[in-house]
Amino acid sequence: MMKIKLLLLSLLLSLGFLQAQKTTVSGKILDSKTLKPVKQVSIYLNDSDSAVISKEATFSIASDQPIYKLRFEKDNYELKSININQANTSSLTISLNPDAVKSIEGVVITTKLKKYKSKKENPAYTILKEVWKKKKNNALDKYKTYTFDEYEKIEFDLSNIDSTFTKKKIFNKIDFIFNYADSASNGKLALPIFLNEALYKNYGRNQPAHQQKKDLIAQKTSGFQNNEIVSLTAKNLYKEINIYDNTINFFNIGFQSPVSTDGFSTYNYNLLDSSSTVNGEECYRIQYEPKRKDVLAFQGYLYISKDSFAVVKATMRNTHKMNVNFVNGLYTELEFNNPDEETFLPSRTYAEFDLSLLNKNREAKGIIAKRTVSYTHYEFDQPIADSIFKINEEDKDSQKLAKNQEYWNEIRTDSLSKSEEGIYDMLDQLNQVPKFTRMVKLWETAASGYYNVGNAVDIGDLYSTFGFNDVEGTRIRMGARTFFSRNDDWRIQGYAAYGFKDQQFKYGAEAKYMFSKNSRFMVGIGTRRDIMQLGVQLTTDDGIMSRSFASSSLFARGDNGMLSSVNQTNFFTSIEPWKNFQLRLDGTVQSIKSANPDYFNLMYYRNGKLRQTTNDTHFTFSMIARPGAKFSTNGVDRYEHTTLSPTLVLKYTCGINNLFGADFGYNKLQFMYTQPILLGTWGKSVVNLEAGKNFDTVPLALQNVIPGNQSYSLAANTFSQLNYYEFVADTYATFHLEHHFNGKILSYIPLIKKLKLREVGIFRAAYGSLSDASKNINAENNRYSAPDQQIYYEYGFGIENIGFGNFRILRVDFNWRGNYLNRPDISKFGVKAGFQFSF
């Protein structure tokens, strides 16, 4: 919900630019220590690569273009950047600091780096070799216990607002928000729209077992509800960074670290001076920039301690040709303390992201997301009680986290600007305007697919309203759910559907309640009667509200009439005894028969008799581990953020013969592992491995089906060139691999590289066996077989990032079937397409 409000404001404040006027800026340049004039200073206008050299200590610069920024550079002095507006164009006094580098925020790297015949001739190489020799680790790993405080400030600003656009009719009755805007460096307005401050107490223990706890002590947020989603979205944009790693993760994309041992293959380095001082420590200052501007790499400065060869400070800024969707720019600043020669401790991080939905232009209207974190009050090897590490989410209500202004003034390590201080009042006032709340409601509905009524009920999913299959013909589906907030500890939801061809009503309903937010102990019960496409997923969940893409897709190749009529009731209970580790028990009673008997036969033999309905009662015990996964909100349903965390599932299913009329007793064991993996600057692989075994004879309705995909849509972990039910197996193993090169290859091709397309490599494989008993139990015992002659495989490639500007969400895959080519009615080649929202 929170994202939608920010998106709405960003879209409202698009269009229009200020007209350029001739500008003159003048002043003098002094040494901040001695107050003596400083001559021969290079002055850069706005973001120009060409400098004006001030021969004297005074300067006067005129331009036909608006001047919104000046940058001053001279050896042995701090790089200086100032913003220019109408109030400060003359009689400026620029003080250059020779002793300390306080901040380099806003500096654009434009200095031409010196070229060397080999890296060994480069003095920066000698320094970085010493850094690599003493490659440091985070000092927190060396102590038995540790604690520290973490102050975090997250701010979202709407950027590039011009005065003309603020007068649009759409802003009638809400134009007061622009009273809170602030002048930006480019002469436009920046409007703070969200501010969240938080103080955390971090606890860690390395012996005898590794344990961590991040305790939220205080929080102050601007007026929007559900602010946790925005806060964790910003945190998800910014990944915890170890500058010594060879690959740095931004947006779950791998960037080459400037301190990488292979850095010289990507970057040019230039030693600027050896007398810079950061936090009292004398440092080498090394400038770096990528050899190719269109690779995933940074430009910026490294400050290396002359004593310990540790990274004391690093800045990282994107190149102008960075191929990342929705991101026009990023800037990160890292500062470290170095307690000894082997370790470092982070002291401050600052990250800024320039986000825009559609336009890559630097003047495009969008959102600036800023996150500042300061780490203080480190303590080591002090006793920590076991109770500290227990989860206590239930205690974190807003009243307990609220603190007075004196408290925040005392603990803040980063003071608020005037515009930041006003954001709390502005957003509270804005949420009282009916016009604004109506517009927010419209965009919430468009983005989520649900229309909320009375802050109590969601109608939807609206995007699941229409579907088509060979049994139901045109299918209409409508649903609703209770929804008071994202932190609801109970939820009731349901749907009704109707097929115009079979003229039958279908339905589903489910209720669940969470007793404890600490352990996420919950129970649920549900029932449904529906037409479903079984066999499109191996490691299934027993949830009632899950929806089969294949039974309601609008377009598909061949016939999609191999559908089942399912009448199912499910009860479940689950608990998380440890963070991101879930234990779940399901009890399911169901009856399954063919929804299209003339085309799809599910009949089987039992006690010598031919039967058409499979009655089944089973219990499933699941262990689900998600190490490293991050969630926002603590309600019965959770919003998950994208991470590189793996998913591991181990399931045991036991069918109970004769219980509630069940026809079979059986045992099944299944395992699934899936994870995205960064492979340096070569991109990201997504790996999925599944294996399972039915230990007893069961009919087709309860058998393992290697999942095919006859739709024209992308569907994860399915085989695009397999037909439904083409392979059935008692015992199976499948492997799926997608590697996203992020444009690594296409960026070398002239003309093509301008399209910013990205390539994907695809490989899928399956192997399994089907016993004679499992074949013979089915009426059509010769129709089904397993891929046991050889490993079935598919291969292909995809083109993703198709679109324009920042909006590149289309992906098209081209798939080939590798073997089993003599089977009837197979598809040797196919094309799939779909939308994916990713950076």
Side-chain angles (χ1 to χ4, degrees), residues 66 76 100 300 394 429 491 503 701 821 823-824:
N76 301 320
E394 293 178 335
Q429 186 179 353
R491 184 149 291 143
Q503 298 182 348
L821 300 178
R823 293 188 158 215

Side-chain angles (χ1 to χ4, degrees), residues 7 145 235 249 272-273 286 343 360 427 444 454 498 565 582 618 625 637 655 682 724 760 765 787 814 830:
L7 176 60
T145 64
K235 295 174 189 178
N249 178 10
L272 296 180
D273 67 67
I286 298 175
T343 58
K360 270 288 185 188
L427 288 174
E444 285 176 348
Y498 181 78
S565 177
Q582 180 186 21
H618 68 260
D637 296 316
W682 279 98
Y724 301 133
V760 183
F814 304 90

Side-chain angles (χ1 to χ4, degrees), residues 375-392:
Y375 307 91
T376 57
H377 301 107
Y378 283 102
E379 292 186 0
F380 305 107
D381 293 335
Q382 299 298 314
I384 301 178
D386 292 339
S387 59
I388 290 292
F389 295 101
K390 293 182 179 179
I391 303 173
N392 58 345

Side-chain angles (χ1 to χ4, degrees), residues 337-445:
N337 291 323
N338 297 279
D340 53 51
E341 291 189 355
E342 287 90 27
T343 58
F344 71 89
L345 288 171
S347 60
R348 179 182 177 272
T349 65
Y350 173 79
E352 181 177 307
F353 303 97
D354 183 359
L355 309 174
S356 177
L357 181 63
L358 298 176
N359 200 328
K360 270 288 185 188
N361 192 307
R362 294 182 64 189
E363 298 296 317
K365 292 166 179 61
I367 293 176
I368 304 294
K370 305 174 185 177
R371 180 175 182 257
T372 303
V373 183
S374 299
Y375 307 91
T376 57
H377 301 107
Y378 283 102
E379 292 186 0
F380 305 107
D381 293 335
Q382 299 298 314
I384 301 178
D386 292 339
S387 59
I388 290 292
F389 295 101
K390 293 182 179 179
I391 303 173
N392 58 345
E393 297 292 347
E394 293 178 335
D395 296 334
K396 299 306 177 186
D397 59 65
S398 57
Q399 291 184 349
K400 292 183 179 180
L401 296 175
K403 306 293 181 182
N404 58 32
Q405 190 59 45
E406 292 181 358
Y407 176 89
W408 288 107
N409 291 339
E410 181 179 348
I411 63 98
R412 275 191 191 111
T413 58
D414 192 25
S415 60
L416 300 183
S417 66
K418 185 176 181 180
S419 59
E420 289 173 338
E421 291 175 347
I423 188 176
Y424 295 109
D425 295 332
M426 184 268 282
L427 288 174
D428 286 337
Q429 186 179 353
L430 186 61
N431 277 323
Q432 304 303 314
V433 180
K435 178 179 180 179
F436 176 74
T437 57
R438 287 194 298 268
M439 291 188 293
V440 168
K441 188 83 170 270
L442 176 64
W443 282 103
E444 285 176 348
T445 302

Side-chain angles (χ1 to χ4, degrees), residues 192-203:
I193 58 171
F194 176 81
L195 183 65
N196 187 90
E197 296 180 271
L199 180 66
Y200 300 92
K201 187 74 174 182
N202 287 272
Y203 302 88

Side-chain angles (χ1 to χ4, degrees), residues 36 45 80 485 546 573 605 678 748 769 781 784:
K36 293 181 178 180
L45 178 65
K80 184 82 170 183
S485 77
S546 59
T573 180
Y605 293 98
L678 287 183
Y748 284 93
S769 62
N781 53 15
Y784 303 105

